[in-house]
Amino acid sequence: AVVSTQSTGGRQKFNVDPKKGIESLVSSGILNDTPEDIAQLLYKGEKLNKTKIGEYLGENREPNLTVLRRFVELFEFQKMDIVTALRAFLGKFRLPGEAQKIDRMMEEFATVYCSANSSVYSKSDTCYVLAFSIIMLNTSLHNPSVKDKLTADQFVKMNNGINDGGDLPAQLLIDAYHSIKTTPFEIPEEDTQDFTITFYNPDKRGYLVKEGGKRKTWKKRYFVLTDNCLYYFVRESDTEPKGIVPLENLMVTECKDRKLTFEIRSEEKFIKAAKTDSGGRMVSGNHENYRIQASNQEEMTSWMDAIRKSISKDPFYTTMQARKKNAMCKQ
């Protein structure tokens, strides 16, 4: 009974802070402190939050990097088509939001999968590019906001030349297309408790006044800054945000036309963001900027500094282009 209680306590700690949860399980003698045993724990996933599993596996430090490799090696990818392999892989955790973490995790998947299927794929970059193409295909076919759906022919053409300068078998790509069209990926869902955990230890939180998007009215909102995202709620007690602003490729400046007000603006025309519509569904935001007012100078400066520290440059598109170029070049 004591061991069972310690195991449950360690897993609960993991679901708030993965590092501390692992340390708790190790110190109580339930888990051996080896990458292999930690990987087995995450692979089985019993009573573990899938978002926190993804968070742990995406960290760029040891032992996390070795655990990630051992975790991917637990999958038996031999003679498994890449869509089935991706379904198995992505079903074990929830992909983190940061591009660098996604890149590391997909890199390991591609390396291990390519090694297990070397008769089909010439290099791991081929698997990497194809895996992301399939993920994007899933979005294209099953996201209601995407009007122009990819056809099978378009999907085949967009992957021409990625196999060391040559083409992958057309039937392989067509089979992948129809598999995704028939059955979309099942992305692990969050429940309300998991969402609450996301805001367990934020960088900053508090009430500010925000200007509306279409209607330029100013309303009090509760803001939470965490994990390189700015969330806002109608009330502090709400469990789900009214809007989410990923802090990638953005800038923060003080407004000259309104006191104690700062502006978040994109280097592009629109900010990539999401908000809740009148039906309670999350939809894409369409803001050119966000204008937010504080109650005093100190509060405004503090929020601006905190948001600037959270802003990251998203290297995803650059990385993807570099890998596609490499995959198309003969060795």
Side-chain angles (χ1 to χ4, degrees), residues 166-218:
D167 294 343
L168 289 167
Q171 194 59 49
L172 181 153
L173 296 172
I174 292 169
D175 288 346
Y177 178 91
H178 288 295
S179 177
I180 293 296
K181 185 176 182 180
T182 303
T183 310
F185 285 131
E186 291 186 10
I187 305 300
E189 295 291 337
E190 301 278 21
D191 58 27
T192 301
Q193 182 182 10
D194 290 340
F195 226 146
T196 303
I197 288 171
T198 301
F199 310 117
Y200 180 78
N201 187 29
D203 299 319
K204 194 169 180 61
R205 63 170 69 204
Y207 279 101
L208 296 165
V209 180
K210 173 187 165 294
E211 184 182 42
K214 290 183 179 179
R215 298 178 182 176
K216 300 300 181 181
T217 54
W218 292 80

Side-chain angles (χ1 to χ4, degrees), residues 42-142:
L42 304 184
Y43 183 86
K44 291 176 181 176
E46 185 181 351
K47 296 181 180 178
L48 298 182
N49 177 280
K50 290 185 184 293
T51 296
K52 292 298 178 180
I53 294 174
E55 180 182 307
Y56 182 88
L57 291 172
E59 290 294 335
N60 188 26
R61 61 170 180 253
E62 292 293 359
N64 305 60
L65 293 169
T66 303
V67 171
L68 173 60
R69 170 55 66 91
R70 299 294 173 262
F71 175 85
V72 181
E73 288 173 346
L74 289 171
F75 293 86
E76 296 181 358
F77 289 143
Q78 290 85 356
K79 297 182 180 180
M80 184 184 290
D81 68 83
I82 193 166
V83 176
T84 302
L86 277 170
R87 292 189 196 280
F89 183 59
L90 298 176
K92 291 288 187 181
F93 60 91
R94 191 177 180 90
L95 277 172
E98 297 91 333
Q100 297 94 329
K101 291 184 178 182
I102 295 173
D103 178 64
R104 279 192 292 275
M105 297 167 86
M106 296 307 293
E107 168 74 30
E108 287 297 338
F109 168 82
T111 299
V112 174
Y113 180 80
C114 183
S115 177
N117 295 275
S118 56
S119 62
V120 180
Y121 302 95
S122 298
K123 56 171 74 169
S124 64
D125 279 320
T126 301
C127 296
Y128 180 100
V129 172
L130 181 57
F132 268 114
S133 293
I134 292 169
I135 291 171
M136 288 188 284
L137 172 67
N138 186 78
T139 301
S140 169
L141 295 180
H142 299 289

Side-chain angles (χ1 to χ4, degrees), residues 136-259:
M136 288 188 284
L137 172 67
N138 186 78
T139 301
S140 169
L141 295 180
H142 299 289
N143 188 327
S145 64
V146 178
K147 299 289 190 286
D148 297 324
K149 308 295 186 184
L150 274 175
T151 66
D153 285 345
Q154 288 172 328
F155 181 69
V156 170
K157 287 177 182 177
M158 71 183 280
N159 288 291
N160 281 347
I162 67 169
N163 196 28
D164 201 16
D167 294 343
L168 289 167
Q171 194 59 49
L172 181 153
L173 296 172
I174 292 169
D175 288 346
Y177 178 91
H178 288 295
S179 177
I180 293 296
K181 185 176 182 180
T182 303
T183 310
F185 285 131
E186 291 186 10
I187 305 300
E189 295 291 337
E190 301 278 21
D191 58 27
T192 301
Q193 182 182 10
D194 290 340
F195 226 146
T196 303
I197 288 171
T198 301
F199 310 117
Y200 180 78
N201 187 29
D203 299 319
K204 194 169 180 61
R205 63 170 69 204
Y207 279 101
L208 296 165
V209 180
K210 173 187 165 294
E211 184 182 42
K214 290 183 179 179
R215 298 178 182 176
K216 300 300 181 181
T217 54
W218 292 80
K219 293 183 179 180
K220 191 176 183 180
R221 294 287 183 255
Y222 189 73
F223 284 81
V224 176
L225 179 64
T226 185
D227 290 336
N228 303 103
C229 282
L230 184 65
Y231 300 82
Y232 58 91
F233 303 76
V234 175
R235 292 168 294 274
E236 181 179 357
S237 58
D238 290 349
T239 56
E240 295 191 10
K242 181 73 174 173
I244 306 171
V245 186
L247 297 172
E248 295 177 349
N249 303 323
L250 302 180
M251 59 187 79
V252 184
T253 57
E254 185 174 351
C255 295
K256 303 299 182 184
D257 61 335
R258 188 179 175 96
K259 290 183 179 180

Side-chain angles (χ1 to χ4, degrees), residues 262-296:
F262 61 91
E263 177 183 73
I264 302 174
R265 178 178 291 278
S266 174
E267 294 176 3
E268 305 295 333
K269 184 177 181 182
F270 292 107
I271 295 175
K272 292 187 297 181
K275 62 180 180 180
T276 307
D277 67 8
S278 57
R281 298 169 300 175
M282 271 289 175
V283 297
S284 296
N286 198 29
H287 285 70
E288 292 187 12
N289 57 30
Y290 285 86
R291 283 160 57 90
I292 300 168
Q293 185 176 38
S295 58
N296 56 62

